[in-house]
């Protein structure tokens, strides 16, 4: 049985690859493949990998379980530490991640001082904002809004990251091996040292996506890597242009401000399971005025911890509740500390007293179900940075399962079909099983609380469900559940469903029209993903194909009125096929910058167009959603 390698800090891996000679770098990808399968866990906690008879790599993880410094990875060969064995072993290890949650918060400022605030000293690396709705970026010399100027070090770091990202995009997955990834990691580390936290996070996301694509991991999507490249290029490009918008630079510290006295009521809890080995739970809360808050407990431990944390004690101001009780109860908090994302801190000055729970039919929870889902989604699309933490409530009628989706219809006139997908697809969590059981009761009426997936047409990822008030064919939950079931922890049984059949509900043959899938915009996305997978050369070859991408393939886009999309795609294909020559007439390698700008312009326009179609899918019934020709 093979031993998992300990995670390695990005800068340690980048330095190991940088120290290799050009000859050894060419051999790095081959040396990295398969070496993780030979790892051996020793009695003292170290991990060893043998390369032949004379080379033994030893990895000594620190207290956090990661390789955080160069001296924690050694090799017995004569070339160490500048050897291929050591770099290959580090390259085969997963990238280390900083804890997603701060370990502690500082004490709040003096009572009654609403301006007092302190920063979390642990240095969380979560970016302050998402780039999902990035605006088109201009050339490096473009005029930028009047904002505080970046330092010279920040401009240099952003420019270097832009150039490395452009080269990685031009290389694509096929040529984006260990050397390309190490260059991205080095530039990302430099960006972090310069205080460009969001840029670093975007670069790490691209590196992880490149690794997953090259290793053909299960669940890896080329579309996710395409979006990651768009975010990285957008962020680095605007920073290199001199934009000092705080939403672009990000923050490495969560600032906790005094929140005074709060009274919060539990909504639900959901398991947290990250790809980097963290697991835990987050419990969602609402204040009397409708302000959302949360209490989270996420630490290393993976699936086992995600499953067990749902009934773990709440570490907040001496409260005697566990997360299961808090999700159906409440707290009165004195001396609260609150992060900008609404997370409640557990500093020494915080005092919390349990409160009786309230049902979803009572305020403040009832407010979540009072407005149409389309209105709530429109507000999220206007502020996409809040979408990841915002829960949406609606009453629906179950239609049935089509493929991987559970189809439901909101119980409002002319409401669209909604697609429900598991909030987390891991089979050991209860989400998928619960949705599968719900799908077997067509006509069932449900009250659903979930997170809209703004990358898919009319798709909701539910985290909790409950009965619809006054409905006859609805859930019959135990009284102690207080009218809701947490889909990640509570498992629905036959006794929780009504007896007898509901009124028949017609099941669409294919889940109804999908304006996003039926739009000719898929041609632009295919071009962008071709570039991510095969690099610049693949886009150029496609442009020179029998059905030129610059010709007939764009006619459906123009007929649908998507002229800008057609022109941007044609410009990308032309730039990919540009072949400059030197003064002697010989072919020369073109700069990746022009290609990266053309790719980013097309990607940004595509993201905006897709968001418009997604908004339309929530706002109208299937028959009313305009569907363009393919």
């Amino acid at each position: 049985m093979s031993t998992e390698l300990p995670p390695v800090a990005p800068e340690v891996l980048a330095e190991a690859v940088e120290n290799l000679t050009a000859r050894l770098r060419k051999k790095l990808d081959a040396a990295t493949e398969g070496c993780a399968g030979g790892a051996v866990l020793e009695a003292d906690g170290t991990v060893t990998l043998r390369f032949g008879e004379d080379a033994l790599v030893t990895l000594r993880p620190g207290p956090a379980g990661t390789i955080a410094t160069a001296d924690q990875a050694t090799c017995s060969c004569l070339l160490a530490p500048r050897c291929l064995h050591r770099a290959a072993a580090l390259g085969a290890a997963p990238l280390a991640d900083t804890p997603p949650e701060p370990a502690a918060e500082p004490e709040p400022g003096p009572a009654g001082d609403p301006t007092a605030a302190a920063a979390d000293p642990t240095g969380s690396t979560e970016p302050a904002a998402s780039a999902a709705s990035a605006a088109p970026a201009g050339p490096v010399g473009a005029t930028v809004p009047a904002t505080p100027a970046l330092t010279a070090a920040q401009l240099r770091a952003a420019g270097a990251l832009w150039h490395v990202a452009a080269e990685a995009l031009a290389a694509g997955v096929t040529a984006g091996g260990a050397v390309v990834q190490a260059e991205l990691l080095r530039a990302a580390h430099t960006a972090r040292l310069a205080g460009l936290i969001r840029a670093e996070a975007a670069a790490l996301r691209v590196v992880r996506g490149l690794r997953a694509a090259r290793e053909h991991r299960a669940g890896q999507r080329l579309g996710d890597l395409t979006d990651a490249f768009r975010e990285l290029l957008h962020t680095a490009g605007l920073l290199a242009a001199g934009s000092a918008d705080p939403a672009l630079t990000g923050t490495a510290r969560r600032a906790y401000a005094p929140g005074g006295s709060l009274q919060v009521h539990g909504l639900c809890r959901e398991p947290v399971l990250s790809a980097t080995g963290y697991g835990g739970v987050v419990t969602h809360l609402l204040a009397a005025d409708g302000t959302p808050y949360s209490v989270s407990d996420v630490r290393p431990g993976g699936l086992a911890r995600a499953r067990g944390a749902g009934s773990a004690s709440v570490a907040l101001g001496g409260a005697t509740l566990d997360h299961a009780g808090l999700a159906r109860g409440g707290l009165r908090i004195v001396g609260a500390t609150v992060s900008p994302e609404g997370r409640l801190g557990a500093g020494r000055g915080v005092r919390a007293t349990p409160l009786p729970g309230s049902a979803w039919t009572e305020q403040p929870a009832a407010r979540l179900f009072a407005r149409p889902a389309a209105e709530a989604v429109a507000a999220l699309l206007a502020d996409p940075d809040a979408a990841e933490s915002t829960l949406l409530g609606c009453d629906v009628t179950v239609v049935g399962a089509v493929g991987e989706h559970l189809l439901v219809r909101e119980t409002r006139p002319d409401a669209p079909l909604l697609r429900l997908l598991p909030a987390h697809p891991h089979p050991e969590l209860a989400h998928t099983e619960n949705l599968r059981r719900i799908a077997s009761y067509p006509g069932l009426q449900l009250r659903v609380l979930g997170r809209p997936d703004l990358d898919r047409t009319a798709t909701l990822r539910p985290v909790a469900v409950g009965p619809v008030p006054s409905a006859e064919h609805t859930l019959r939950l135990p009284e102690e559940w207080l009218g809701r079931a947490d889909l990640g922890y509570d498992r629905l049984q036959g006794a929780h469903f009504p007896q007898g059949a509901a009124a028949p509900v017609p099941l669409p043959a294919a889940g109804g029209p999908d304006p996003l899938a039926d739009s000719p915009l898929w041609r632009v996305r295919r071009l962008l993903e071709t570039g991510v997978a095969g690099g610049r050369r693949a886009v150029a070859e496609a442009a020179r194909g029998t059905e030129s991408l610059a010709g007939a393939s764009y006619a459906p886009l123009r007929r649908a009125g998507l002229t800008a999309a057609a022109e941007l795609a044609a410009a990308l294909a032309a730039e990919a096929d540009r072949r400059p020559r030197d003064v002697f007439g010989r072919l020369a390698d073109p700069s990746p910058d022009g290609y990266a700008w053309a790719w980013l312009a097309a990607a940004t326009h595509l993201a905006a167009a897709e968001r418009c179609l997604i908004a339309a899918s929530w706002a109208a019934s299937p028959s009313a959603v305009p569907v363009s020709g393919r």
Side-chain angles (χ1 to χ4, degrees):
M1 182 176 179
S2 61
T3 298
E4 292 186 1
L5 295 175
V8 58
E11 61 271 19
V12 174
L13 173 57
E15 182 182 11
V17 176
E18 187 177 20
N19 288 336
L20 295 179
T21 64
R23 180 179 63 84
L24 292 178
R25 288 188 183 191
K26 295 178 181 179
K27 300 180 179 180
L28 182 56
D29 286 333
T32 301
E33 292 181 4
C35 72
V40 177
L41 179 62
E42 305 294 344
D44 60 355
T46 62
V47 177
T48 59
L49 298 93
R50 182 166 293 281
F51 294 80
E53 297 181 358
D54 302 325
L56 181 68
V57 175
T58 303
L59 304 179
R60 299 180 176 86
T66 64
I67 305 298
T69 59
D71 58 2
Q72 290 177 305
T74 60
C75 181
S76 61
C77 77
L78 297 177
L79 291 180
R82 302 172 180 268
C83 65
L84 181 64
H85 317 112
R86 179 174 176 271
L90 292 173
L95 291 178
D97 203 2
T98 52
E101 293 298 322
E105 300 79 40
E107 288 300 310
D113 180 7
T115 63
D120 163 36
T122 59
S124 170
T125 59
E126 271 193 20
S130 167
S133 61
V140 173
T143 302
V144 296
T147 53
L150 296 175
T151 66
Q154 288 176 322
L155 288 172
R156 287 194 300 270
L161 183 57
W162 161 266
H163 184 70
V164 171
E167 289 185 333
L169 177 67
V173 172
T174 55
V179 174
V180 171
Q181 295 170 26
E183 290 174 351
L184 277 169
L185 293 177
R186 169 63 70 184
H189 183 59
T190 302
R192 178 176 179 80
L193 294 178
L196 305 179
I197 306 305
R198 173 169 162 177
E200 182 218 21
L204 293 180
R205 183 183 171 200
V206 168
V207 172
R208 291 190 173 100
L210 285 172
R211 285 186 164 198
R214 289 177 63 85
E215 297 170 7
H216 304 287
R217 296 179 190 169
Q220 185 275 332
R221 294 177 61 248
L222 189 58
D224 293 339
L225 182 54
T226 301
D227 294 341
F229 263 112
R230 187 189 74 236
E231 178 181 354
L232 174 58
L233 290 169
H234 169 261
T235 304
L238 285 186
L239 289 171
S243 175
D245 187 343
L248 287 173
T249 55
T251 176
R253 298 172 182 266
R254 286 202 184 98
Y256 277 77
S261 297
L262 293 175
Q263 184 168 310
V264 293
H265 302 271
L267 277 177
C268 61
R269 62 192 161 135
E270 63 172 318
V272 176
L273 181 61
S274 78
T276 52
Y278 287 89
V281 63
V282 58
T283 298
H284 299 278
L285 310 163
L286 269 185
D289 62 356
T291 302
Y293 294 95
S294 65
V295 174
S296 55
D297 180 8
V298 181
R299 301 176 189 174
L303 176 63
R305 194 169 195 291
R307 297 174 65 180
S311 56
S313 298
V314 176
L316 182 65
T320 57
L321 288 173
D322 58 17
H323 281 273
L326 179 58
R328 295 181 172 93
L331 287 175
R332 180 179 287 110
I333 308 173
V334 178
T337 56
V338 186
S339 78
E341 299 87 0
R343 290 181 175 87
L344 296 176
R348 290 190 300 273
V350 179
R351 297 291 179 267
T353 305
L355 292 174
S358 59
W360 281 359
T361 55
E362 303 173 9
Q363 296 296 350
R367 190 180 294 114
L368 293 175
F369 304 92
R371 63 174 177 171
E375 292 184 10
V377 170
L380 292 178
L381 288 170
D383 183 18
D385 291 342
E388 294 183 1
S389 59
T390 300
L391 296 179
L392 175 153
C394 58
D395 292 345
V396 301
T397 300
V398 174
V399 177
V402 173
E404 63 176 351
H405 301 102
L406 168 58
L407 298 183
V408 300
R409 191 183 296 278
E410 191 177 4
T411 55
R412 295 178 183 274
D414 297 323
L417 279 175
L418 303 183
R419 297 163 172 84
L420 303 189
L421 285 177
H424 200 294
H426 197 289
E428 295 297 322
L429 298 177
H431 297 286
T432 302
E433 179 185 341
N434 281 330
L435 288 185
R436 187 180 297 118
R437 185 174 288 272
I438 291 173
S440 62
Y441 289 85
L444 179 71
Q445 290 185 289
L446 285 175
R447 175 156 281 189
V448 178
L449 189 65
R451 189 172 292 104
D453 187 338
L454 300 184
D455 293 327
R456 297 172 181 260
T457 302
T459 299
L460 186 67
R461 295 187 180 270
V463 296
V465 295
V468 175
S470 304
E472 179 179 351
H473 201 74
T474 189
L475 290 175
R476 306 285 191 264
L477 299 180
E479 184 176 348
E480 61 270 19
W481 285 15
L482 206 63
R484 63 260 206 180
D486 299 329
L487 293 179
Y489 289 106
D490 301 321
R491 295 188 180 270
L492 296 173
Q493 307 295 330
H496 298 150
F497 292 88
Q499 301 300 316
V505 179
L507 181 65
D514 187 336
L516 187 59
D518 295 337
S519 166
L521 286 172
W522 67 266
R523 300 171 185 270
V524 182
R525 176 162 287 279
R526 184 179 67 177
L527 179 65
L528 296 171
E529 293 181 353
T530 296
V532 170
R536 178 176 187 157
R537 179 177 298 179
V539 175
E541 290 175 353
R544 295 194 297 267
T546 55
E547 186 184 357
S548 172
L549 288 175
S553 291
Y554 293 153
L557 287 167
R558 293 189 172 91
R559 287 197 299 267
L562 301 171
T563 306
E567 291 178 351
L568 289 170
L572 171 59
E575 179 61 31
D577 199 29
R578 186 172 62 85
R579 307 177 73 187
R581 297 179 180 271
D582 61 18
V583 294
F584 300 104
R586 296 171 300 191
L587 287 174
D589 290 334
S591 167
D593 288 351
Y595 171 75
W597 283 118
W599 188 95
L600 178 59
T604 303
H605 183 276
L606 174 66
E610 289 180 338
R611 283 296 177 98
C612 291
L613 291 175
I614 289 171
S617 72
W618 282 88
S621 63
S623 60
V625 176
V627 179
S628 302
R630 297 178 66 84

